[in-house]
Amino acid sequence: MAEENNHGNKQLDEALDCLNTTFKHKDFKTPLQRDAVLAVLKGKKDVYISMPTGSGKSLCYQLPAVMAKGKITIVVSPLIALIKDQMEHLERLKVRAESINSKMAASDRQRVWTDLQAVVPATRLLYITPEQADTTSFQNLLERLVRHSKVAYMVVDEAHCVSQWGHDFRPTYLKLGGLRRTYRQLPWVALTATASAKVMEDIFKQLSLKDPLKFRASCFRSNLFYDVRYKESLDDEYEDLKDWVVECLGPNWEDKRANGPCGIVYCRTREATEELAGQLTRRGVPTRAYHAGLKDRDRAAVQESWMDGEVPVITATVSFGMGVDKATVRFVGHWSMPQSVAGYYQESGRAGRDGLPAQCRIYYSKRVERLIGGYFRDIARKQDYRTKAMTISSLDEDQYEGGRRGRQRELDMYEETGERRSDERSGLESLVKRQLKLRRGSSPVRSDRQKKQESKEKEQAVKSSRLRAADCTERKIAGLTLKTREEYFKLLEEALSRNLNACVVAAHALAGRVPEVAIELEYNIFTSNRVVTMYRRAMALLGGHSSAERRSVADLCVQLLMPHYKAGKIASKDEFKTLARSLAHSYLQRHTTVGALEQPDLSATTPHLAGGST
Ligand SMILES: Nc1ncnc2c1ncn2[C@@H]1O[C@H](COP(=O)(O)OP(=O)(O)OP(=O)(O)O)[C@@H](O)[C@H]1O
């Protein structure tokens, strides 16, 4: 026991030494970071680390990687841009990190390969994408490295991507489970900023992590303060932004120090970044615009001037910020709604990385209000409503190498003018609702008498309700009242009975006119084809192979049915039309089969056509 303690102390001393000399930090950021580092260093068990953005997760594997002399730590990371940032960061610290990826020049690849094959490789960390991990060449390399005991740790960054339960599922991550099972002797480290308990369990399962040591911190960032501004309620939105910016930057912001206070305002379009930069600069806050439309050189110059403290504020599209690691970002503003919940967590998470208070604000307009309902409106009235950090994160799959539309698409994401995807919209909406509900605090205090009265009323309502399990309403779905269920039930009942009536009438009308429909259909095909094979094909297609054909047939049926519509009787004209169309569609699907029509002799079906006419 005493020996173990001594060993533990020695390891801690060595870790602190490495932290000071290589990473230039005086101490661990948090006890959790220290404990996670020590657990990884021990190398006895798999380790799972879940900490919020900016909490220093990377150090948890980078420090042990540096201390594992003569060995390589392999890091699977989802995004080449992230890999690049990590490598640049490590290069500044004089830690040799390499990558093998599809974007590399052959000469670079050879150089890395050669070092990895050396008796004592100089490479400390090797970054790869999950796609690379799935290649035979990498697997051969890994096999060789393991055989010569040259691998210290296997690290899976953004480990939530392995889970289908998570928002960011990435199928290639699943293949990592196979590697884990092949190399059971290696200690694995899985890191993520956000994972629910369900996703965490799934990560363990998919990566075959065996009873890993867990280091978890809430994704809640207590130093971030969120609020929302309603643009339409402001006299001058630019002046309001400027005032907020100056307030966030605090005193002495004009000193132009690299570690001075600074901020970012995200905009949806390039034009908005330029416009806003001009407005802020004219109002006395030097600001530069950053977007994908700038030449690489100009973009780099803008970023550099912001990093160096030359300009305190940058207005940018989302192309700015990935991997930007500036500790003193005192605010992150959004000049319009963020593109997604994931995006918002990431973008606002760039504030306050030094742990000091920082502000995050969304400026929104009516258009956005329409998008997310009354929740923000509520806050806007309070104007000064301050909230704390959001706790949801997810990454857009497009961020990843091999993502559907690739990196360029991601760079330009904010510059689209189109509507947001509906799943993102609903995700954002439910997040906002959830978070605002949390922040509004508990419901107002009610007297005992009021409470008694309420519970009596509830009991009464449950007794008289026709709904099944009426008394479970609130228990099963938090926030759902019996009254709401009753209201929806009534609507449903009405709609069902209206539709049923309309169905009966439409079906009746259609059934009586089948021959007429069939005559029309045959005639259409007869007059639009000149070759017998085409005629036969078109007739055969009627039966069900082509949904386009069926649609046009259904349209024809609808034309014939519409005269049967009687205004105001059963359903609206549109409802009747929809029903007629779907009835015709399914009728045709059932009654004209390809098999029957493809018979060489069509005479069997002819009698049903009630005498064709030409
Ligand atoms: N012990 C420490 N002392 C001081 N600063 C630290 C310490 N460890 C890490 N940092 C700094 O904290 C910042 C955030 O670290 P890092 O990028 O590793 O966070 P992260 O949790 O990986 O964030 P993200 O999820 O956004 O990638 C960096 O500037 C890093 O240098």
Side-chain angles (χ1 to χ4, degrees):
M1 186 72 180
E3 203 178 307
E4 214 172 88
N5 277 347
N6 282 344
H7 180 68
N9 288 340
K10 191 168 165 251
Q11 217 160 35
L12 178 60
D13 288 343
E14 285 169 1
L16 277 168
D17 191 42
C18 179
L19 185 67
N20 301 156
T21 51
T22 305
F23 291 89
K24 322 286 180 220
H25 297 313
K26 284 201 195 77
D27 203 348
F28 288 104
K29 215 167 177 170
T30 55
L32 195 69
Q33 189 191 47
R34 177 199 61 209
D35 295 346
V37 166
L38 292 177
V40 176
L41 269 175
K42 266 195 189 138
K44 293 257 165 61
K45 291 190 103 179
D46 292 337
V47 174
Y48 170 77
I49 299 167
S50 168
M51 294 184 196
T53 56
S55 57
K57 279 188 297 298
S58 318
L59 188 104
C60 298
Y61 68 84
Q62 287 173 348
L63 190 147
V66 172
M67 285 178 67
K69 294 275 176 305
K71 292 196 177 193
I72 298 157
T73 293
I74 295 169
V75 187
V76 182
S77 177
L79 179 60
I80 290 181
L82 280 181
I83 291 179
K84 204 163 148 264
D85 288 325
Q86 290 286 359
M87 286 174 61
E88 281 169 9
H89 172 67
L90 290 165
E91 195 184 326
R92 283 195 292 277
L93 299 174
K94 305 204 165 26
V95 174
R96 173 125 174 218
E98 298 285 3
S99 171
I100 316 172
N101 65 59
S102 55
K103 303 264 154 64
M104 284 173 88
S107 55
D108 277 339
R109 189 178 275 261
Q110 189 52 49
R111 178 180 54 75
V112 175
W113 227 252
T114 309
D115 181 62
L116 294 175
Q117 320 248 5
V119 179
V120 183
T123 303
R124 294 265 68 83
L125 294 111
L126 177 68
Y127 282 88
I128 55 165
T129 58
E131 285 75 20
Q132 186 64 39
D134 193 34
T135 61
T136 315
S137 60
F138 174 76
Q139 284 169 11
N140 289 341
L141 171 77
L142 182 62
E143 209 270 318
R144 253 197 321 268
L145 291 174
V146 173
R147 198 167 352 111
H148 293 100
S149 304
K150 282 197 219 160
V151 181
Y153 312 102
M154 288 294 292
V155 177
V156 182
D157 205 1
E158 311 291 359
H160 58 275
C161 296
V162 81
S163 171
Q164 299 186 49
W165 300 111
H167 185 60
D168 320 308
F169 174 53
R170 189 145 176 231
T172 40
Y173 259 71
L174 285 176
K175 305 268 178 78
L176 298 174
L179 279 188
R180 172 71 186 92
R181 288 184 285 279
T182 310
Y183 300 107
R184 289 196 174 276
Q185 67 273 45
L186 297 177
W188 281 55
V189 182
L191 303 111
T192 177
T194 47
S196 63
K198 193 176 179 188
V199 171
M200 180 182 80
E201 288 305 327
D202 203 28
I203 291 172
F204 297 170
K205 189 172 148 218
Q206 302 300 347
L207 291 180
S208 296
L209 300 186
K210 217 176 133 229
D211 193 18
L213 297 167
K214 302 183 198 89
F215 298 88
R216 301 171 70 190
S218 160
C219 291
F220 187 80
R221 293 196 41 202
S222 57
N223 63 324
L224 298 191
F225 294 82
Y226 287 77
D227 75 348
V228 183
R229 230 21 172 197
Y230 185 28
K231 276 186 190 172
E232 277 87 353
S233 76
L234 303 170
D235 290 338
D236 182 341
E237 60 201 43
Y238 296 115
E239 194 62 18
D240 190 83
L241 176 69
K242 190 268 297 176
D243 289 345
W244 178 65
V245 163
V246 170
E247 188 193 318
C248 292
L249 290 174
N252 308 325
W253 62 268
E254 285 159 289
D255 288 356
K256 295 191 179 173
R257 290 166 287 130
N259 59 356
C262 60
I264 309 167
V265 185
Y266 283 104
C267 304
R268 185 173 262 271
T269 61
R270 296 170 188 186
E271 293 72 28
T273 62
E274 299 281 2
E275 162 73 8
L276 220 51
Q279 290 282 355
L280 287 175
T281 305
R282 279 197 292 283
R283 287 162 204 262
V285 183
T287 303
R288 293 189 72 179
Y290 180 106
H291 53 75
L294 297 175
K295 288 200 184 92
D296 284 356
R297 207 174 14 152
D298 296 340
R299 259 209 322 258
V302 172
Q303 178 162 344
E304 224 162 88
S305 66
W306 181 79
M307 292 296 285
D308 294 348
E310 271 299 306
V311 287
V313 183
I314 203 159
T315 52
T317 57
V318 282
S319 56
F320 177 74
M322 182 155 351
V324 166
D325 182 22
K326 192 164 180 186
T328 54
V329 177
R330 294 275 66 86
F331 69 88
V332 170
H334 278 76
W335 196 237
S336 48
M337 277 301 282
Q339 282 287 78
S340 63
V341 176
Y344 192 49
Y345 182 79
Q346 292 255 315
E347 286 142 31
S348 60
R350 285 174 191 131
R353 283 178 154 243
D354 53 7
L356 296 175
Q359 314 293 325
C360 307
R361 173 176 284 184
I362 297 173
Y363 278 85
Y364 78 105
S365 66
K366 261 196 179 131
R367 201 176 66 78
V368 176
E369 186 193 7
R370 215 178 336 121
L371 190 69
I372 56 168
Y375 283 80
F376 279 133
R377 204 183 312 135
D378 221 30
I379 287 181
R381 286 200 203 101
K382 295 179 190 161
Q383 283 294 310
D384 200 17
Y385 194 95
R386 288 274 153 103
T387 61
K388 287 214 171 183
M390 299 224 174
T391 57
I392 292 253
S393 162
S394 53
L395 300 172
D396 195 299
E397 67 174 289
D398 295 346
Q399 289 179 33
Y400 305 129
E401 179 190 34
R404 266 178 303 140
R405 283 155 290 186
R407 166 108 174 105
Q408 189 53 44
R409 175 81 171 72
E410 196 263 336
L411 283 179
D412 287 328
M413 190 163 70
Y414 248 44
E415 308 197 355
E416 285 174 4
T417 49
E419 282 296 299
R420 217 165 275 139
R421 288 208 313 257
S422 67
D423 53 340
E424 283 174 346
R425 203 164 45 222
S426 65
L428 182 59
E429 188 171 347
S430 65
L431 170 94
V432 169
K433 286 179 182 176
R434 243 184 359 258
Q435 294 297 326
L436 294 182
K437 201 165 163 230
L438 282 173
R439 286 159 178 70
R440 280 187 184 129
S442 53
S443 50
V445 183
R446 284 163 293 151
S447 70
D448 282 353
R449 225 185 77 221
Q450 274 171 313
K451 278 184 201 160
K452 250 191 205 153
Q453 177 64 24
E454 276 172 22
S455 91
K456 217 168 133 194
E457 279 168 11
K458 253 186 218 162
E459 247 173 61
Q460 278 298 333
V462 167
K463 271 188 200 154
S464 59
S465 174
R466 282 191 290 160
L467 289 171
R468 206 184 290 174
D471 54 341
C472 291
T473 304
E474 265 170 333
R475 249 179 298 142
K476 194 127 172 51
I477 304 182
L480 179 66
T481 62
L482 186 54
K483 190 163 165 269
T484 309
R485 279 184 70 194
E486 297 271 12
E487 281 165 7
Y488 275 108
F489 165 68
K490 271 202 198 102
L491 284 177
L492 187 61
E493 203 177 28
E494 277 167 28
L496 277 178
S497 101
R498 239 195 1 256
N499 286 352
L500 196 65
N501 285 338
C503 275
V504 169
V505 173
H508 185 73
L510 182 65
R513 310 204 60 171
V514 166
E516 201 181 327
V517 171
I519 288 166
E520 276 303 309
L521 288 176
E522 192 278 340
Y523 183 68
N524 273 358
I525 289 171
F526 171 65
T527 49
S528 55
N529 288 285
R530 287 171 172 275
V531 183
V532 67
T533 50
M534 295 307 284
Y535 170 88
R536 290 166 73 103
R537 186 172 172 273
M539 286 299 285
L541 280 174
L542 276 187
H545 270 185
S546 151
S547 59
E549 287 280 352
R550 271 208 308 275
R551 248 194 323 272
S552 73
V553 173
D555 283 342
L556 188 70
C557 294
V558 171
Q559 266 178 34
L560 292 164
L561 285 170
M562 281 322 282
H564 291 263
Y565 172 69
K566 288 198 184 62
K569 275 275 157 68
I570 297 148
S572 75
K573 202 162 192 167
D574 281 347
E575 280 170 332
F576 185 90
K577 204 172 189 171
T578 310
L579 280 160
R581 190 187 308 277
S582 72
L583 274 169
H585 202 268
S586 55
Y587 184 89
L588 286 160
Q589 226 169 348
R590 270 180 283 121
H591 292 270
T592 51
T593 66
V594 181
L597 290 173
E598 272 182 347
Q599 297 299 318
D601 178 10
L602 284 177
S603 60
T605 57
T606 310
H608 300 290
L609 297 176
S613 75
T614 55

